[in-house]
Amino acid sequence: MFQPFELFQPLFIKRLIKLNKIYIVSQSYKAGISDFEEGKNASILLTDYDDIGLANIHKAAVKTDKYAAVIHLNNPAHLQKLKDMLEPDAEYKIYWSVVKDMADIKKTIDVKYTDNIRRYIIKNTNWRIAGNEIIRPQLSVIFGELFVFLKRGAQELRVKFEEIEKS
């Protein structure tokens, strides 16, 4: 499973506070944990916000997730819980919904997933793609999910990357 996000490091906390990104939404993250990782029982993705309203909208979008929460970095109890989750012996592997190099991620998708994108389009749309036609997907992160935006003429399609991966 493709995993584009950064591992969250304790040093990021001070920087987020300085930038006033004090609301963190947590959620489960399927792509983050390997079967071979000793002692890690769950993978969690964190997304930062400077607006509590946006954080609450995100949390509402993932409300059925058992790890869904809004962490307030200015709340000492929340801050300590996050620090505890980041300890090396914690049962969690924590990711941040930040992509270090979007161009590198796009290159990986262009190289490894072009056939998957083509299969997805053939199966799920009425687009007729010529064999020599190049598909140029755009990427975006929405509520902690990687999405692929496909455009052909006036037609546009937004697809969760995991759907492309399955094709």
Side-chain angles (χ1 to χ4, degrees):
M1 188 173 271
F2 183 65
Q3 193 299 105
F5 299 122
E6 291 292 310
L7 280 171
F8 193 88
Q9 303 295 322
L11 61 98
F12 297 155
I13 295 171
K14 284 184 182 177
R15 184 78 175 137
L16 287 171
I17 292 170
K18 188 175 181 180
L19 293 170
N20 200 36
K21 302 261 187 176
I22 58 171
Y23 308 106
I24 309 291
V25 176
S26 63
Q27 67 190 89
S28 297
Y29 183 49
K30 292 184 269 190
I33 200 160
S34 161
D35 293 335
F36 305 107
E37 292 186 64
E38 188 79 24
K40 301 297 182 189
N41 296 323
S43 185
I44 296 175
L45 183 67
L46 304 178
T47 305
D48 60 271
Y49 294 94
D50 60 2
D51 180 306
I52 187 64
L54 294 174
N56 285 331
I57 289 169
H58 181 158
K59 183 181 179 272
V62 296
K63 68 183 174 192
T64 59
D65 184 327
K66 76 178 193 174
Y67 293 111
V70 177
I71 300 165
H72 297 248
L73 294 180
N74 58 359
N75 178 321
H78 288 201
L79 183 57
Q80 188 57 52
K81 176 64 176 172
L82 178 59
K83 287 178 179 179
D84 292 345
M85 292 169 64
L86 291 167
E87 288 294 321
D89 61 344
E91 66 178 294
Y92 308 105
K93 190 162 185 184
I94 310 292
Y95 290 86
W96 188 16
S97 65
V98 169
V99 174
K100 185 184 268 187
D101 186 350
M102 188 60 92
D104 188 48
I105 299 298
K106 183 163 178 4
K107 182 177 164 185
T108 299
I109 289 173
D110 286 346
V111 170
K112 291 186 175 181
Y113 293 96
T114 298
D115 290 339
N116 295 55
I117 291 170
R118 191 172 291 279
R119 281 191 297 271
Y120 183 89
I121 289 171
I122 290 168
K123 183 178 177 184
N124 297 288
T125 73
N126 61 359
W127 300 359
R128 298 296 160 235
I129 307 294
N132 62 350
E133 191 171 347
I134 297 172
I135 302 163
R136 302 236 185 260
Q138 299 298 313
L139 304 173
S140 184
V141 178
I142 302 170
F143 294 144
E145 294 267 3
L146 185 63
F147 280 84
V148 176
F149 288 85
L150 302 169
K151 186 173 181 179
R152 184 163 190 262
Q155 298 174 314
E156 294 183 14
L157 188 60
R158 179 179 76 176
V159 183
K160 281 186 179 182
F161 182 77
E162 98 182 28
E163 294 300 316
I164 298 292
E165 209 169 21
K166 292 176 188 175
S167 292

